[in-house]
Amino acid sequence: MDLNELIGRFFLLFFSILVLYFFSNRKDNETINPLMVIVGLCTFSLCYLFTKIEIGVGIGFGLFAIFSILRFRTQSFTVNAIIFLFATITLSILDIMYPFEKIEILLFFQIIIIGFYVAASIIVNKKASKYLNTIDLKIPLENGFSLDNKKIRKVVEEKINITDFEFKIVLVNGVSNEIDLQVFY
């Protein structure tokens, strides 16, 4: 693999990941950290290295162990973030390992993966993209108050005087007797 081919593969991966990142962060209430892009780029670099040197099975198991430990020692990821990570890792492995003689098949896989990702992102985020504004709201927990959707909607309508909105319960705090909501309107 010469330098021009390597640079071409890298830029293909880079622009693919940027498209995935753009469509992953369309929801206001859930975003992916921009540093997650580095996972795909690092996988690309590691796969390139592994094609140039001969490694044993032990290194593969060691990498698997490291990633397993990281998974259990870090914060939980959203489904959106996990799918983004899996897609970027898949694209990076495809970009560096697929034979250059079959570039049209590589581009086909790239377009299919990105196309499905974009289509699914648009379908999933359609409801969230309807509401452009968000507000954090605290509702006091009174005696006999339940987490019924209708009761919460009524309280929100009274507090901020809007009728077309969606909400997400962020936290039910029994100590301070409050419910933290995120309201999309």
Side-chain angles (χ1 to χ4, degrees), residues 110-178:
Q110 288 271 6
I111 291 169
I112 292 296
I113 291 171
I114 292 171
F116 275 115
Y117 193 94
V118 168
S121 174
I122 290 171
I123 291 168
V124 168
N125 295 334
K126 189 177 255 184
K127 184 176 181 182
S129 65
K130 177 181 172 187
Y131 303 106
L132 300 175
N133 300 313
T134 62
I135 187 172
D136 294 329
L137 188 65
K138 292 186 182 290
I139 296 176
L141 273 174
E142 299 164 349
N143 289 338
F145 188 86
S146 69
L147 294 178
D148 182 37
N149 191 8
K150 291 178 184 176
K151 288 184 180 183
I152 294 175
R153 287 190 72 79
K154 183 180 175 190
V155 172
V156 171
E157 286 174 4
E158 291 171 359
K159 279 196 170 256
I160 58 176
N161 198 24
I162 57 172
T163 56
D164 187 23
F165 66 91
E166 290 293 325
F167 68 89
K168 179 173 87 171
I169 297 175
V170 177
L171 177 70
V172 178
N173 192 340
V175 175
S176 64
N177 289 330
E178 292 178 327

Side-chain angles (χ1 to χ4, degrees), residues 43-136:
T43 305
F44 179 87
S45 302
L46 278 175
C47 287
Y48 178 74
L49 176 69
F50 292 159
T51 61
K52 298 299 175 194
I53 61 171
E54 190 164 320
I55 58 170
V57 176
I59 291 177
F61 283 123
L63 286 172
F64 179 74
I66 289 170
F67 289 130
S68 297
I69 290 170
L70 287 175
R71 170 63 186 115
F72 293 114
R73 303 281 179 180
T74 60
Q75 70 179 12
S76 296
F77 294 115
T78 63
V79 172
N80 193 18
I82 291 171
I83 293 170
F84 175 79
L85 278 174
F86 185 72
T88 56
I89 290 170
T90 302
L91 289 174
S92 63
I93 292 171
L94 273 175
D95 282 345
I96 197 65
M97 302 292 265
Y98 211 83
F100 193 69
E101 298 80 34
K102 299 180 181 179
I103 190 77
E104 62 277 353
I105 297 174
L106 173 64
L107 292 174
F108 172 76
F109 283 130
Q110 288 271 6
I111 291 169
I112 292 296
I113 291 171
I114 292 171
F116 275 115
Y117 193 94
V118 168
S121 174
I122 290 171
I123 291 168
V124 168
N125 295 334
K126 189 177 255 184
K127 184 176 181 182
S129 65
K130 177 181 172 187
Y131 303 106
L132 300 175
N133 300 313
T134 62
I135 187 172
D136 294 329

